[in-house]
């Protein structure tokens, strides 16, 4: 009977471990999606304010955010610039006379944002670097 109990226990603990890994993956995916969406919004805000305040405000912004949130990463001047580039590279704002395929996805279009928030930030930065070339 003890051998049967050990087998049942091993199967049960294997199932628990699998569920834990699944929950960890879901949590990481949710955190990534929130972060990418935040970086998109931050890029939009930086783009808007940089027009009025110039480029030098990024250093002040970086220092202020790092002072307020010392345990968080992602507020370097370089990363703030990537946020701005992320917003600008993937935002579509048609100009008069532009012809665009209405079926092609654009970030302003709700169909593209759910796809982009699944991509890790490091990969998005690599894409931005390739686009800039």
């Amino acid at each position: 009977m003890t051998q049967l109990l050990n087998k049942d226990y091993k199967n049960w603990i294997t199932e628990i471990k699998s569920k834990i890994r699944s929950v960890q993956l879901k949590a990481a995916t949710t955190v990534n999606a929130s972060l990418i969406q935040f970086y998109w919004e931050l890029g939009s805000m930086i783009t808007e304010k940089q027009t009025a305040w110039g480029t030098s405000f990024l250093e002040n912004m970086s220092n202020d955010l790092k002072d307020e949130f010392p345990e968080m990463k992602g507020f370097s001047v370089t990363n703030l610039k990537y946020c701005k580039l992320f917003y600008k590279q993937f935002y579509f704002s048609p100009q008069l006379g532009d012809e665009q395929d209405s079926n092609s996805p654009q970030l302003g279009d709700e169909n593209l944002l759910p796809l982009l928030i699944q991509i890790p930030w490091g990969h998005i930065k690599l894409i931005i670097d390739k686009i800039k070339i």
Side-chain angles (χ1 to χ4, degrees):
M1 189 82 162
T2 307
Q3 192 175 15
L4 181 59
L5 183 60
N6 286 341
K7 186 177 179 182
D8 286 344
Y9 174 79
K10 286 180 182 179
N11 289 338
W12 179 75
I13 201 73
T14 299
E15 185 179 329
I16 298 294
K17 290 175 184 179
S18 176
K19 287 185 180 201
I20 290 170
R21 286 186 183 98
S22 176
V23 167
Q24 287 175 325
L25 183 60
K26 283 181 184 177
T29 302
T30 300
V31 167
N32 181 70
S34 295
L35 180 67
I36 300 304
Q37 190 157 0
F38 168 70
Y39 281 164
W40 163 260
E41 293 168 7
L42 186 59
S44 172
M45 291 185 278
I46 290 170
T47 299
E48 179 184 327
K49 296 300 180 187
Q50 199 165 22
T51 302
W53 296 337
T55 57
S56 62
F57 92 95
L58 283 178
E59 194 168 311
N60 290 335
M61 179 184 182
S62 172
N63 291 332
D64 289 340
L65 292 175
K66 285 193 271 187
D67 286 347
E68 184 68 25
F69 304 101
E71 71 287 352
M72 290 181 69
K73 295 181 180 180
F75 297 127
S76 67
V77 172
T78 301
N79 205 59
L80 295 175
K81 288 178 182 179
Y82 270 111
C83 291
K84 178 184 172 190
L85 289 170
F86 175 50
Y87 173 76
K88 291 185 93 170
Q89 290 292 338
F90 293 100
Y91 178 75
F92 174 72
S93 178
Q95 302 296 316
L96 284 177
D98 281 355
E99 291 185 24
Q100 280 296 82
D101 179 4
S102 61
N103 293 326
S104 70
Q106 305 299 333
L107 192 55
D109 188 355
E110 11 182 276
N111 296 324
L112 187 57
L113 186 56
L115 297 174
L116 282 173
I117 63 175
Q118 294 178 36
I119 302 172
W121 181 240
H123 293 161
I124 290 174
K125 291 185 343 183
L126 286 173
I127 293 168
I128 291 169
D129 287 342
K130 296 292 182 187
I131 291 172
K132 288 184 351 182
I133 292 176

